[in-house]
Amino acid sequence: MKNKFIQTLSALLLPISFILILFLLITIPLQKISKYGSGGVIITIIALIITFIALKTDRKTFKEIGFYLDRKTPIRFSIGFLIGALITIVMLTILIYFSSIELNYNKNANIPTVLFWLLAFFPLAYMEEIIFRGYAFSKINKNIGLWPAQILMAILFAWYHDFTGVTLLNQLLGPGTWALIYGVSAVWSKGLAFPTGLHMAINVVLALVGQKDSRHAIWNLEYTTEITPVLRAQTEHIGLIMQLCILLIGIILTEYFRRKKPKTAIT
């Protein structure tokens, strides 16, 4: 038991080290690099490097833990992307239908430029899956179980999103909740291709409606009338209900896979 506890702590060093490195990078007075541009590539390389170091320390290789491409990887990624896009579109449709928000076309949108910038969400999604559903997640799942892996990675994933400046509660209900979905999708698909596609699609659809960097917006979510505290509260309640539904689904699926105890791998 003591050995498993030590192994779990050693596994946590990977995502914690990555988060601390990012915190350090943003304090360095260098020219600002957008995370949607070369910055995304840089932090993805950092994620791969520290994963490599962790594997070498544990005397393992990427291939030994199934971290490699095969002919089904693009298919798994594409299926994940389609499902992620569908889920996000359904949630946006519910929000628009039950609130005073409407979807308006952004006349200033440059569609070729938008499509180019949307590619930046791939390294970002891949980087986050490498760190939070990759080697550390797999090792904790193997040593002490799926629930500890899900909870610990969800907390760290929420903490990592402290860069966005939102409250801790929003971090836990937002990224923390979705971390459970990404985690079970990694376990179910036995790899990272599917959750990376799922993750990327959610960010892409949100970006298209102006919920990420403004340069990606083809449409904007706007109130049909003057924004009042009542309208804002109504919108927040709808969003909260949907997030709680996602949380419930994540809990149910996590328990299902915990009982099923599938073999885990990373591809």
Side-chain angles (χ1 to χ4, degrees):
M1 188 67 180
K2 183 178 179 181
N3 186 46
K4 289 184 177 181
F5 177 74
I6 294 174
Q7 289 183 355
T8 299
L9 289 179
S10 67
L12 289 174
L13 287 177
L14 175 60
I16 290 174
S17 298
F18 177 76
I19 294 172
L20 293 177
I21 288 172
L22 292 190
F23 276 129
L24 179 61
L25 287 176
I26 64 175
T27 63
I28 298 176
L30 297 175
Q31 183 178 359
K32 185 177 181 181
I33 301 177
S34 171
K35 67 176 181 178
Y36 297 112
S38 57
V41 176
I42 292 172
I43 57 179
T44 299
I45 293 173
I46 292 174
L48 287 169
I49 290 174
I50 65 174
T51 298
F52 174 78
I53 294 173
L55 287 170
K56 281 298 182 182
T57 302
D58 208 20
R59 296 181 180 179
K60 294 185 180 295
T61 65
F62 282 103
K63 189 173 183 178
E64 283 181 293
I65 62 171
F67 196 87
Y68 60 92
L69 293 172
D70 62 29
R71 59 185 179 84
K72 292 184 178 180
T73 297
I75 296 175
R76 287 192 289 264
F77 173 84
S78 299
I79 293 174
F81 189 93
L82 290 174
I83 293 175
L86 179 61
I87 291 172
T88 314
I89 290 171
V90 169
M91 293 181 71
L92 288 172
T93 301
I94 292 173
L95 178 64
I96 292 170
Y97 183 81
F98 289 102
S99 72
S100 298
I101 290 178
E102 63 180 9
L103 194 63
N104 294 321
Y105 178 69
N106 180 10
K107 296 179 181 180
N108 297 320
N110 185 318
I111 294 180
T113 301
V114 168
L115 295 177
F116 172 77
W117 279 109
L118 289 177
L119 295 175
F121 285 100
F122 173 75
L124 286 174
Y126 187 49
M127 169 270 297
E128 292 178 355
E129 294 309 305
I130 289 171
I131 294 297
F132 298 102
R133 260 71 60 182
Y135 176 62
F137 180 92
S138 180
K139 187 172 182 179
I140 295 171
N141 184 14
K142 180 180 179 181
N143 287 335
I144 58 177
L146 181 56
W147 269 117
Q150 284 279 66
I151 293 171
L152 290 171
M153 288 300 110
I155 292 172
L156 288 175
F157 194 55
W159 179 38
Y160 156 80
H161 279 82
D162 185 56
F163 291 107
T164 62
V166 298
T167 65
L168 177 60
L169 178 60
N170 286 334
Q171 290 168 356
L172 292 173
L173 288 177
T177 294
W178 281 105
L180 299 181
I181 302 299
Y182 300 143
V184 293
S185 68
V187 171
W188 171 73
S189 64
K190 298 181 175 64
L192 295 182
F194 183 90
T196 298
L198 183 72
H199 194 158
M200 179 181 174
I202 292 170
N203 286 333
V204 164
V205 175
L206 290 177
L208 287 173
V209 296
Q211 299 304 295
K212 296 290 183 178
D213 193 295
S214 60
R215 82 188 74 181
H216 307 121
I218 294 180
W219 300 275
N220 289 311
L221 293 174
E222 298 175 345
Y223 283 94
T224 57
T225 61
E226 181 182 353
I227 303 175
T228 65
V230 174
L231 285 179
R232 191 179 297 278
Q234 179 192 45
T235 304
E236 291 176 352
H237 288 158
I238 295 170
L240 177 61
I241 290 172
M242 287 193 291
Q243 285 301 125
L244 291 176
C245 288
I246 295 296
L247 175 60
L248 180 61
I249 292 171
I251 291 172
I252 292 172
L253 290 177
T254 299
E255 181 59 20
Y256 170 78
F257 284 108
R258 183 194 69 82
R259 295 184 181 188
K260 190 176 180 182
K261 294 182 180 179
K263 295 179 180 180
T264 58
I266 304 173
T267 54

